[in-house]
Amino acid sequence: MIAEAGLAALWLAAALAALQLALVALSLRGAEGLDGLVRPAALAQGVLACLAFGLLIWLFVRVDVSVALVAANDHSAKPLLYRFAATWGNHEGSMLMWVAILSVAGGAVAVLEKRLPERTLLATLGGQATIALGFYAFLLFASNPFARLDPAPLDGKGLNPLLQDPGLAFHPPTLYIGYVGLSVAFSFAIGALVTRDVGPAFARAMRPWVLGAWIFLTLGITAGSYWAYYELGWGGWWFWDPVENASLMPWLAATALLHSVTVLATRDGLRAWTVMLAVVAFSMSMVGTFLVRSGILTSVHSFAVDPRRGAFILILLALYIGGALALFGARVGTVKEGSRFDPVSREGALVVNNLLLTVVLGLVLMGTLYPLVVESFGGRISVGPPYFNAVAGPIALILMLLMAVGPMVRWRRDSARAVLGRVVVPAAVLVVALVASFLLAPRIGWMPRLGLVVAAGVGLGSLAPLWGRNLLRTPLFTWGMVVAHFGLAVSLAGMASDSAFTVERLSATAVGGSERVGPFTVRLDGVEPTFGPNWQAIEGSVTATRGGTSFAMRPQARAFWSPPTETSEAAIRTMLDGQLYVVLGKQVDETRWQMRLWWKPFVTFIWLGGALVALGGALSLIGRVRRERRATQWD
């Protein structure tokens, strides 16, 4: 009865979403006494959606193979953590998690949002109910997660072994919270357009939701990058895979929106642009959902192969985004320009920042979709890292430089001469870093060199907002901006260092033999079989030595039996100045084994920087919320 109870909860949640939308529509048309029911409906809907998702988790933990989804993605031999995480390691479960988070977000808006005018809040909750209704329909009519099997098999087929990793327990929920957080920003924009209430108050109410979504997207992308790095055994941290791009595009749009909404909240500028970015950001979330869940991509992340599901998501995408753009077109005349500002001002710098982010977003979107368009006409083309690095890399470096200069420019109006005076020190650091790079690393490529130089300049420039301040009295959101910008510089330094200084060694090594990689000597001491709960493996015993220090490493080549899959479990040793990465391959002959070795100086800066960016976002969020609460108390 657990599956039936979950399905009933899902139907009830869908009915409440429909009721919520009807109540909003009637209230906005003047019906009295109904508006007080909207908030309880949103809250109850969130509770029921969570109940449905919780019951699905229970089915997976119990390995109830009478449910088709559990039978296809679970196995009794799997460790408890992976039975739990398998709930969202498939199409239907991940979509139910999507809807549960969406409904919880709607309930949170209903309970927590106090500053929006009542009509705008009602319209916002109506937008959230409309989005939820579409996805409830998708689950109930095209992707039922509670469908039964008759007769039930003896055991399940198991989960894709590449997804049997602790990272799967945290990465998808984190990323989905970011995606769904952008749906809230979208609903805010719809609500403000419906009531013609686009202004600073609307932006101040929307900003914490955008910031929260951006933080979780940052964490999700950073975690996903590290998962691919250590789990797939290829030594890379970003491949411009369409599924990777599906998470990057909403982040780029959300970053632009975050800066734009700040201008609107504090300076009453960029009204129409902010609303449009809210629509674009959620559009990118929907595009990402379509790419990953439609079955048009082959990836460890893409689970659906049924074209009907892809068509359903495409229809939802067209309805939501087309409807929002139509509403925007109808109401754009009522969205006034807002306060004006000089080109040389912080607002001007943020506009250029937005434009550059939008250009990068457009280039990534084009590179992601173009092969799919060509394939739909019978052709075949691959767009990979050479395209993305060539077109997006230089713009990203310019964007980073602007990011360092922007906080040094005054609001409203400034003089070019004064700005130049303020950037003298970071510019001098850039020059010194450039000269040092030629002296210390004369043979590296120009892009890694520029990356290292810009990282040094941006790292120093990001600290500029703290110069001359009492650090204890500096607002928390200013600290957040500094930490986030500094984190991007750290991450850029890691990317450039990985490109410039990584050393790779491929070998066929006999037991007892040694290989050199970077400053290390790596000796293969032996190879022996080992076993896990649902896999068997060949495990290498490796000793790595640098200077007079040695340590052991144990890479594995695993074979899972359900489903039959072979994976490489890399052995990674993290040090202050980088990581040693060892992969054990197949047996070449009676005594030799394939080995792939990498020495990656400062590669950990990539993910350390990502964590700092998210931390900066969290500090900003706390600082903004505290200031808003104080303002509310004084109202």
Side-chain angles (χ1 to χ4, degrees):
M1 292 297 290
I2 298 174
E4 287 69 26
L7 188 59
L10 200 57
W11 273 105
L12 285 173
L16 278 172
L19 175 64
Q20 180 181 330
L21 181 58
L23 290 171
V24 168
L26 293 171
S27 298
L28 291 177
R29 286 180 172 272
E32 296 183 357
L34 298 179
D35 54 339
L37 300 175
V38 175
R39 290 178 191 254
L43 188 58
Q45 184 206 145
V47 171
L48 284 168
C50 284
L51 175 62
F53 187 55
L55 291 173
L56 186 64
I57 292 175
W58 191 2
L59 291 169
F60 268 88
V61 171
R62 293 183 55 188
V63 197
D64 185 347
V65 290
S66 68
V67 176
L69 188 64
V70 178
N73 298 281
D74 206 358
H75 193 284
S76 57
K78 279 196 312 185
L80 178 62
L81 175 64
Y82 301 142
R83 276 187 268 153
F84 179 79
T87 310
W88 50 84
N90 57 80
H91 171 78
E92 291 84 352
S94 65
M95 294 308 298
L96 180 54
M97 183 172 69
W98 211 104
V99 170
I101 296 173
L102 179 75
S103 302
V104 168
V109 171
V111 172
L112 300 176
E113 187 50 56
K114 307 292 185 186
R115 294 183 64 89
L116 274 182
E118 188 64 18
R119 283 177 58 80
T120 304
L121 176 62
L122 286 176
T124 300
L125 292 174
Q128 201 70 6
T130 306
I131 298 171
L133 262 180
F135 282 94
Y136 283 130
F138 179 64
L139 279 169
L140 293 170
F141 300 122
S143 297
N144 178 10
F146 297 104
R148 291 282 191 184
L149 273 181
D150 188 17
L154 295 176
D155 207 340
K157 295 178 180 176
L159 180 68
N160 182 344
L162 288 174
L163 302 179
Q164 293 184 37
D165 180 84
L168 181 69
F170 307 103
H171 165 54
T174 309
L175 205 56
Y176 277 29
I177 292 173
Y179 280 160
V180 175
L182 294 179
S183 78
V184 178
F186 176 83
S187 296
F188 268 84
I190 296 301
L193 283 173
V194 168
T195 57
R196 299 177 173 84
D197 191 26
V198 178
F202 144 77
R204 283 194 288 273
M206 184 172 76
R207 182 166 52 187
W209 298 95
V210 177
L211 198 45
W214 183 81
I215 292 168
F216 278 99
L217 273 177
T218 304
L219 287 173
I221 293 171
T222 303
S225 167
Y226 193 64
W227 171 82
Y229 171 78
Y230 74 77
E231 179 62 20
L232 300 184
W234 63 297
W237 51 271
W238 194 265
F239 193 64
W240 294 106
D241 177 87
V243 176
E244 293 173 331
N245 296 346
S247 64
L248 177 63
M249 290 186 290
W251 185 87
L252 290 168
T255 305
L257 174 61
L258 188 58
H259 291 88
S260 177
V261 79
T262 297
V263 174
L264 178 53
T266 58
R267 304 293 162 177
D268 194 16
L270 306 180
R271 290 184 174 187
W273 181 242
T274 300
V275 171
M276 178 54 75
L277 278 177
V279 174
V280 170
F282 182 60
S283 303
M284 292 301 103
S285 289
M286 290 292 294
V287 168
T289 304
F290 171 70
L291 288 174
V292 177
R293 298 291 177 259
S294 64
I296 61 174
L297 298 176
T298 301
S299 162
V300 294
H301 303 78
S302 50
F303 311 109
V305 292
D306 184 350
R308 291 175 301 173
R309 294 170 171 175
F312 205 122
I313 296 176
L314 200 58
I315 292 171
L316 290 180
L317 177 65
L319 287 176
Y320 293 152
I321 307 309
L325 291 177
L327 179 62
F328 180 80
R331 296 291 169 84
V332 69
T334 66
V335 181
K336 296 178 181 177
E337 181 66 23
S339 300
R340 294 183 176 276
F341 49 84
D342 282 1
V344 182
S345 62
R346 189 175 300 186
E347 290 94 329
L350 289 172
V351 168
V352 178
N353 157 292
N354 268 219
L355 292 175
L356 290 175
L357 281 168
T358 306
V359 170
V360 174
L361 171 60
L363 292 170
V364 174
L365 180 64
M366 188 168 61
T368 304
L369 296 183
Y370 183 62
L372 303 176
V373 173
V374 172
E375 193 167 339
S376 68
F377 287 98
R380 194 164 187 84
I381 187 171
S382 175
V383 178
Y387 162 79
F388 291 104
N389 292 336
V391 301
I395 299 174
L397 290 179
I398 297 171
L399 187 60
M400 292 285 288
L401 288 173
L402 181 67
M403 183 190 75
V405 174
M408 302 182 200
V409 186
R410 299 185 191 283
W411 291 104
R412 300 282 190 204
R413 181 182 301 170
D414 208 336
S415 74
R417 187 172 182 178
V419 174
L420 287 175
R422 294 182 205 122
V423 301
V424 164
V425 174
V429 171
L430 279 176
V431 173
V432 171
L434 182 62
V435 173
S437 74
F438 277 107
L439 293 176
L440 299 175
R443 297 180 180 176
I444 65 176
W446 67 274
M447 275 296 285
R449 187 185 307 282
L450 285 178
L452 289 168
V453 170
V454 171
V458 171
L460 181 65
S462 64
L463 303 178
L466 301 179
W467 295 347
R469 281 178 177 262
N470 180 336
L471 299 182
L472 294 177
R473 299 178 67 87
T474 299
L476 202 54
F477 52 79
T478 302
W479 274 106
M481 177 185 67
V482 169
V483 172
H485 286 185
F486 186 76
L488 283 171
V490 170
S491 200
L492 177 62
M495 296 173 195
S497 179
D498 182 53
S499 298
F501 305 122
T502 290
V503 180
E504 182 180 6
R505 173 79 173 166
L506 302 175
S507 67
T509 306
V511 173
S514 299
E515 306 292 341
R516 289 283 302 177
V517 58
F520 292 90
T521 299
V522 179
R523 185 182 68 239
L524 179 62
D525 297 322
V527 177
E528 58 186 17
T530 186
F531 301 92
N534 59 341
W535 50 263
Q536 59 186 15
I538 298 298
E539 183 176 87
S541 176
V542 172
T543 300
T545 305
R546 179 168 70 172
T549 304
S550 298
F551 51 86
M553 303 178 74
R554 293 189 171 277
Q556 293 180 347
R558 289 185 183 175
F560 290 78
W561 56 77
S562 182
T565 307
E566 294 182 355
T567 66
S568 293
E569 299 296 318
I572 301 174
R573 179 78 172 201
T574 301
M575 290 151 277
L576 289 176
D577 58 344
Q579 286 187 329
L580 180 63
Y581 191 114
V582 179
V583 174
L584 180 68
K586 295 184 179 299
Q587 188 170 12
V588 178
D589 54 32
E590 291 184 355
T591 59
R592 295 186 304 162
W593 294 78
Q594 292 176 345
M595 288 183 65
R596 184 183 289 261
L597 314 171
W598 283 279
W599 164 236
K600 293 176 164 291
F602 302 107
V603 68
T604 48
F605 279 24
I606 296 172
W607 306 292
L608 173 63
L612 285 173
V613 173
L615 174 63
L619 293 176
S620 294
L621 179 59
I622 295 169
R624 294 291 182 192
V625 170
R626 286 171 57 183
R627 170 169 282 198
E628 289 295 318
R629 283 185 177 175
R630 283 199 294 268
T632 304
Q633 290 170 355
W634 284 100
D635 283 347

